[in-house]
Amino acid sequence: GAVVSQHPSWVICKSGTSVKIECRSLDFQATTMFWYRQFPKQSLMLMATSNEGSKATYEQGVEKDKFLINHASLTLSTLTVTSAHPEDSSFYICSAPPTGFGEQYFGPGTRLTVT
Amino acid sequence: QQQVKQSPQSLIVQKGGISIINCAYENTAFDYFPWYQQFPGKGPALLIAIRPDVSEKKEGRFTISFNKSAKQFSLHIMDSQPGDSATYFCAAANTGNQFYFGTGTSLTVIP
């Protein structure tokens, strides 16, 4: 089946620094990828839609300047958390649809801890 | 605003029993309704999904029941096993592939 990977799987950074998280589709091309965040014991919340070659679309309430998304190729989307603060600590998960509308494959997630 | 409502929040079932989780939605633009299983520290894994043109779908021990008029759908896990203990999320997606998740159900299957 389709595989989506994320790197790193976990990261610890100091408050005020920036962190980049990569999402790759390993065996299919994805013109669109999605980024979610999940707090402990809570649901996944859609943050933004990453579009290859164009600007990302952000959900209401998500700061565009804080969560920078780049979808530079058909297999790679990156999420950069800028000037990270402890409240940004969360589990970030990406997903991609291998065949148009419908089925989504999720990455294994990246645990971000900001100290 | 929570676009998909899920219940119960937690569920304890004896081994061999039936686990039932329910979800409801409001937006009639949703056209795809998957269920995901998530273990701690892992990303969600697709279990089973349904589209609104059918009322039921069964795959192994997992069954989705879908009621379009009531805007509700449910997951039934037959012959529940301890290995099924996980968090289950329902979701609803629009044609733009944007997925909205329920709040999750923590299932514990007691041996």
Side-chain angles (χ1 to χ4, degrees), chain A residues 26-112:
Chain A
L26 297 186
D27 52 0
F28 65 96
Q29 294 183 329
T31 56
T32 304
M33 292 182 175
F34 301 88
W35 287 95
Y36 299 81
R37 66 186 298 180
Q38 184 179 32
F39 291 107
K41 299 188 183 300
Q42 293 191 24
S43 186
L44 285 78
M45 298 299 294
L46 179 64
M47 297 176 65
T49 303
S50 172
N51 304 298
E52 189 268 335
S54 65
K55 291 183 178 180
T57 304
Y58 292 82
E59 294 295 301
Q60 189 174 9
V62 177
E63 300 176 60
K64 302 177 183 180
D65 296 332
K66 181 165 191 60
F67 299 100
L68 300 180
I69 291 173
N70 184 277
H71 195 148
S73 77
L74 289 172
T75 58
L76 174 64
S77 174
T78 60
L79 168 68
T80 301
V81 183
T82 62
S83 187
H85 288 93
E87 56 265 31
D88 299 324
S89 298
S90 187
F91 194 50
Y92 291 88
I93 306 172
C94 69
S95 73
T99 55
F101 169 59
E103 196 168 16
Q104 287 277 346
Y105 286 94
F106 285 83
T110 296
R111 173 74 60 195
L112 169 64

Side-chain angles (χ1 to χ4, degrees), chain B residues 1-110:
Chain B
Q1 182 184 0
Q2 189 69 37
Q3 298 229 26
V4 180
K5 296 182 180 178
Q6 183 173 345
S7 64
Q9 186 175 7
S10 62
L11 182 61
I12 300 174
V13 174
Q14 292 278 356
K15 178 182 176 181
I18 303 173
S19 303
I20 302 175
I21 305 171
N22 301 298
C23 283
Y25 64 98
E26 287 296 325
N27 190 342
T28 55
F30 291 139
D31 201 33
Y32 178 72
F33 302 89
W35 285 90
Y36 290 88
Q37 179 188 60
Q38 187 179 32
F39 292 103
K42 303 294 184 183
L46 178 66
L47 268 180
I48 186 172
I50 198 168
R51 295 192 187 275
D53 54 345
V54 297
S55 60
E56 185 174 282
K57 184 175 181 180
K58 183 177 181 179
E59 290 183 0
R61 296 186 294 112
F62 303 96
T63 300
I64 296 180
S65 296
F66 186 82
N67 185 329
K68 187 175 181 178
S69 61
K71 291 186 279 188
Q72 296 175 347
F73 58 110
S74 61
L75 174 70
H76 295 229
I77 305 175
M78 313 298 288
D79 187 26
S80 299
Q81 299 297 311
D84 296 331
S85 297
T87 300
Y88 292 81
F89 292 97
C90 63
N94 56 30
T95 53
N97 259 334
Q98 293 166 318
F99 280 52
Y100 297 91
F101 285 78
T103 48
T105 297
S106 176
L107 172 65
T108 302
V109 181
I110 300 172

